[in-house]
Amino acid sequence: MAKRFLLALDQGTTSSRAILFDDEGGIYGSSNEEFRQIYPRPGWVEHDPEDIWRTQCNTARNVLDDAGATPDDIAAIGITNQRETVLLWDRRTGEPIHNAIVWQCRRTTEICEQLAADGLTDTFRERTGLVLDPYFSGTKVKWLLDHVPGARERSAKGELCFGTVDAWLLYKLTGKHATDPSNASRTLLYNIMEHRWDETLLQHLDVPAEILPEVMPTSGVFGETTVLGGSIPVASMCGDQQSALFGQTAFGRLESKNTYGTGCFLLANTGKEPVVSKHGLVTTIAWDLGKGPEYALEGSIFIAGAVVQWLRDELKMIASAAESESVASEVPDTGGVYVVPAFVGLGAPHWDMRARGLIVGLTRGSNRAHIVRAALESISFQTSDIIHSMESDTGERIPILKVDGGAAANNLLMQHQADVLGIPVVRGKVTDTTALGAAFLAGLAVGFWPNLDALRGIWQEERTFSPSWNESQRSEALSGWEHSIKRARMR
Ligand code: ADP
């Protein structure tokens, strides 16, 4: 029987989702299930690995049932996942030895500080493209090996498997122990220049090579699963942000995307060339389509859509996130008001953890609409700071920005983004770009789609926002923003 669908499994931080895509890249059905967040101490975040697996499995079964589809209808499964989250399990029984330590968890801050004090910051940056931060996986693995009784002995005997969430799902689906370079490149253990686990870094983190998964191409058959009944190939695994870049068909050099969620994640494709940032961005592997890794520069913004939630929940200025657009539209501009939402410090390119938020430029005439508008604009200004860093690092201009995520629905924000950047901002029809990327990657691997051009052909734009400002409007707005950032900084 002809295969009609691709099944994308999108394992996120708060929920697991399964989406069926047809051969036009359209969504045929989807299922979503939230799961428990575990906070053992302030700043610590865990997930129960069985919750991750159960909810992911349920959603896969539900989406097939709802669509009246069987495994025979599915050409392949593609996995995309919350990145950096760490699991260790027994190779033979599959039993996890501890809860998963989630990317958000800060328990390894001291380990990172010690590595930095030992002078290893550059060693890690040069080999992994990353910064020494608890966010990434490596120090979490070390923590588990150091703290779970018996873990060191068992790992030395080859009895344990380490994996990020992609590897955990693959193991549960197929029994195989493997990951892909987009996920491996977030671990602090993988040498992105030489495409291998790095002995030196493993030694610094005291992680035995015996527990590491095999690294296989992002797009390619990892194994077959019979968990849903008939046999289905698992044909892609990719970290969620890189998968979104692929789902936006940003295959070419300097093609870029921004996801506007609680925070923002910006990635620009740098092709076969890894670009090491001088502006606090990280270098990451975007994917490997079987011909070696392709790279991306990545920058993130801590507070993006969250500033809209703050207007709603703390200031009570708006009733819903969507209302920010109509309220901001009551005024033609912010009247010189700027909001800097440095609630948790400032990330790239400023990197000032002690910076705090502020509202500047207030006059007697400033009203709610000005402040709401300025808060929205703070999202696009922060984005433009990162784009400018990417341009400085690559020495080239980013030509267009593709967008997704909850706050990308805001037309006023997207128009301001185009104005501030002076480039087109393009929103696609499918907003589940992360899952779409997983489907594209799996579909390529099994010949459901023949090549990248076929994917470009089915990707559909919903709306393009063209820049409407001249150079002097742009530089005036940006200089006001820079001035406000300076005031928010503590150093
Ligand atoms: P996440 O995946 O981080 O939970 P989503 O992609 O679901 O985020 O987007 C939710 C975020 O987007 C919230 O912070 C919300 O405030 C913001 N948001 C949602 N809709 C709008 C809108 N129309 N205008 C501005 N912000 C919005």
Side-chain angles (χ1 to χ4, degrees), residues 260-262 305-306 308-309 321-322 324 376 405-407 409-410:
Y260 299 78
T262 311
V308 178
Q309 291 168 300
S324 63
L376 287 177
N410 191 307

Side-chain angles (χ1 to χ4, degrees), residues 14 259-263 304-310 312 321-325 376 379 404-411 413:
T14 57
T259 301
Y260 299 78
T262 311
V307 73
V308 178
Q309 291 168 300
W310 174 71
R312 183 193 63 193
E323 204 199 7
S324 63
E325 182 165 354
L376 287 177
I379 302 174
D404 50 55
N410 191 307
N411 294 325
L413 170 60

Side-chain angles (χ1 to χ4, degrees), residues 39-59:
Y39 305 107
R41 293 190 200 173
W44 291 29
V45 191
E46 296 179 0
H47 291 154
D48 181 338
E50 300 298 349
D51 284 349
I52 291 178
W53 169 239
R54 181 179 39 80
T55 54
Q56 193 63 75
C57 221
N58 286 346
T59 59

Side-chain angles (χ1 to χ4, degrees), residues 67-90:
T70 72
D72 280 344
D73 296 314
I74 311 297
I77 290 174
I79 295 174
T80 181
N81 55 286
Q82 52 164 319
R83 303 179 301 174
E84 297 102 8
T85 296
V86 166
L87 299 97
L88 283 178
W89 64 90
D90 185 295

